[in-house]
Amino acid sequence: MNESDKTLVIIVSDLYIRGYIISLKNEMLAVLNTQQYLKTASDQELIQAIQFEFQGQFNKSVIISDLNKVLEDVTGKISAGNVTVVMNVNGATVSIVIGILGRIVYSKKYDFGFSHQLANLLLPENRTLFEQRLALWGYDNEKIRTAYNYLGNRQMYKGIPIVNKESEDALMGILWLICLKNELNTIIAENTKGLRFEEIPHVILTGEIAQEFIDQGNLALSLIDGFKLTGIWQLILDPRMQLLLYSQDISEDLSIYSLEELESIGSVIAFDSPYNWGEYIGEMRVDLGLSEDQVVDLKCGQIIRIPLSKQVSGGLTIKAKPNVVINYQGEIDKLAGGNIGLIIDTRNRPLPDLSQTKIYNKHMHHWIEALH
Amino acid sequence: MMEIIVGIKQPLIVNTKYIIERLIGVGSDISVKVDEIVRPETIIATYWQRSGFRTFNLAEMFKVTPEKASMIFKKTLGTRIYPGDIVATKQELFGLREKYFKSPLAGILTDFDTRTARLTIQYLPKEIKIVAGVFGRIVDIKSDKAVAIETKADIVKGVLSFGMDREGSLVEIGYPDIPLQADQLSERLSGKIIFGGTKVNLDFVYKSLSYGIKGIITGGIDYQDYLALQGSRGRDEDIGVSLIITEGFMSAPIYHETYDKLKEALQKHVIFNAGNETIVLPVANNSNLVDTTSVQEAKSNQKYNLLDEGNLVQIINGENIGQYGTVNKIMKENLIEVINNHINEQTNPLNVVKII
């Protein structure tokens, strides 16, 4: 693709059909125009409507309907230098794809989503977990009932939006449940033995759900806890569902950062240590490019947020007590910021399960507060 | 002019042509013909229903070996027995005490396996008479399957349902503007289809089962309760009572026009079609069945429609969930103003459905 080429890419997902006019601009993938329709008519009718609307604005047209296949293709491209987990969550389906150094090591598609196929996810055992999590977030039975009813109505009526904190928390709980179904650490450990990485790993949330979230602090916590992240990760949100555009033949040199519209939530640094919760485990110096480094005392069992914008990269130095580890095989001198910034997570791994309510009751509200 | 498309809801279809399929058993004797006019009490088919069997292990019941059990079995295979008939006896304590097995059911002794001492009693076949249930005209007969009757009816359309098709006479329960309470149930409602209230809970459903209530029509249900009722096998699972929810996962009164129509049909025989979330209220005075030119057709396939100012809508999400109101103003593509006597809400059009 060169700068004069303009492609209409139409993405058919579960609830929406979207059209994008894309082009290359200053070596970046530029989205010149977009249109989104809720599926209120047949796919064919809506595709024609988009083609009609963008008439004269493109010289090539592509329709993407097999999202899973395209997602694997895209994940392969963007994981060339690291580990990339892409989670595509739509109304009726979910796909999780993991790429390591350009190779797809895991690809799973589920027949549940956050809208009309929600009941397939809310089986009794998952409902228990969902309710436990909401209870730890301070929800009483009445509020849990309200959250459920919101989800039920989402299942019945396509596209109803988040209207308040309860509805966003309910959806966040669903996202957490979806993450939980994947043994991410095992898959990554099995496939990265002996490898070293130049870029930190990414978790990218895309799909119809990605445009819904407002509270990125809670979103970060749901991803960290759901995937039980260890080591260092950059969390990325694709709110306008543009990641799949990367499947187009644009340029070999483009990286994930060539997509303007992706939002970095921030970077997570998750420590593990044999020390007791609350015990001092060391200090961390973060170089934000200011006259002095920011020094953070680390205590076991904390979540600390350091604001760091998307445009700034931070380096860090850690002085830690023996046996405090960051499970990451690569350099940590360049951490990307984002809307939340750096998230320092010193909770011992593996994270306690929800039945350990003593720990959660004591700490959960601190963790939530830390990310806001 | 800005075009906004929203989901639609058609809570009530009045005086529509409706074809009811009355299911009949295999080997039914059909007593009507195509084009024949029928009344609710007209018998359209008769058949003998085999009701299955029960087995009893006499060796286990009398604590004897299967060989000895053959000695205590007192009846002849093929005979008809009634509840209380003695089927087997055994002398105990040197003849001082006698132990009996009395039949708990009416049936035919069909088998006694001497190796296992297992006795099989077939229930007596029951004669089933299928009545038309509605005023109407026979339009199709599918042997051993169904008789189709064209009738005029009012159709109440719910938004979700649970259970299987049932029918019975309609009774109002509780109050239109508060949730149904289990203590409103009583034995007089046995075999009835009940309607009322803003919401049903699991207690109410389970208690209504114990009273033999056939169907419940109400405004809402909590999604948690609905998922619990579904169990692991989905909506086809039948727990013995059917539900039709008219408003959604919320606590909300049944749409007032629907409620009024249900009240008009009090004590009448109605058909609860859980499969497609409808209640069929046959029109009583159905004298001119051949003429269906004036009836309204159900727009069942249409799911979305253009939204205009002045349209009646229901709010399906947010603080005022369940409330009906009028679109006062379309402010922009993703913002409309809905008003009624109590509310003035600016909301995303995705949070409403248009009432047609």
Side-chain angles (χ1 to χ4, degrees), chain A residues 29-41:
Chain A
L29 175 67
V31 177
L32 307 178
N33 213 341
T34 62
Q35 178 58 280
Q36 168 176 295
Y37 288 125
L38 185 68
K39 284 190 174 179
T40 55

Side-chain angles (χ1 to χ4, degrees), chain B residues 200-273:
Chain B
V200 67
N201 62 20
L202 285 183
D203 272 359
F204 189 94
V205 172
Y206 293 142
K207 198 168 173 192
S208 66
L209 263 174
S210 68
Y211 283 120
I213 288 160
K214 286 185 173 174
I216 303 164
I217 306 161
T218 187
I221 186 170
D222 284 326
Y223 189 46
Q224 263 176 308
D225 290 350
Y226 184 71
L227 289 170
L229 283 172
Q230 276 199 321
S232 56
R233 285 188 288 162
R235 61 182 275 170
D236 293 327
E237 192 167 353
D238 181 43
I239 56 163
V241 62
S242 299
L243 287 179
I244 287 185
I245 302 299
T246 62
E247 310 305 311
F249 296 112
M250 59 185 80
S251 180
I254 297 171
Y255 178 55
H256 69 97
E257 285 186 22
T258 303
Y259 202 91
D260 293 346
K261 195 53 80 177
L262 289 167
K263 281 195 91 160
E264 280 176 27
L266 274 177
Q267 303 301 339
K268 288 180 187 152
H269 189 83
V270 301
I271 296 160
F272 201 96
N273 201 337

Side-chain angles (χ1 to χ4, degrees), chain A residues 192-242:
Chain A
T192 55
K193 278 178 194 151
L195 298 178
R196 262 192 94 72
F197 301 96
E198 288 174 8
E199 291 175 23
I200 65 166
H202 295 144
V203 171
I204 304 174
L205 175 64
T206 184
E208 291 164 342
I209 205 172
Q211 67 180 352
E212 302 238 17
F213 294 123
I214 304 153
D215 183 343
Q216 293 195 3
N218 279 354
L219 177 58
L221 195 56
S222 296
L223 292 172
I224 295 167
D225 287 2
F227 278 134
K228 300 170 185 164
L229 296 180
T230 67
I232 300 183
W233 291 86
Q234 185 183 357
L235 307 180
I236 295 171
L237 185 66
D238 177 21
R240 281 163 282 279
M241 211 178 160
Q242 298 190 354

Side-chain angles (χ1 to χ4, degrees), chain A residues 157 160-161, chain B residues 4-8 307 312-317 323 327 336-338 345 347-355:
Chain A
Y157 300 109
I160 63 172
Chain B
I4 295 179
I5 296 174
V6 295
I8 58 167
L307 187 71
L312 177 65
V313 293
Q314 184 184 27
I315 298 173
I316 53 167
N317 190 22
Q323 296 233 25
V327 178
I336 59 169
E337 186 179 69
V338 178
E345 178 169 321
T347 187
N348 187 318
L350 290 170
N351 288 327
V352 305
V353 285
K354 178 176 165 179
I355 306 301

Side-chain angles (χ1 to χ4, degrees), chain B residues 151-166:
Chain B
T151 187
K152 279 186 194 173
D154 297 329
I155 310 289
V156 168
K157 295 198 80 171
V159 292
L160 59 111
S161 64
F162 180 86
M164 56 186 279
D165 295 356
R166 292 190 158 84

Side-chain angles (χ1 to χ4, degrees), chain A residues 312-330:
Chain A
V312 181
S313 291
L316 56 89
T317 319
I318 296 162
K319 274 188 199 167
K321 286 170 76 173
N323 300 320
V324 176
V325 292
I326 301 174
N327 186 16
Y328 172 62
Q329 300 123 300

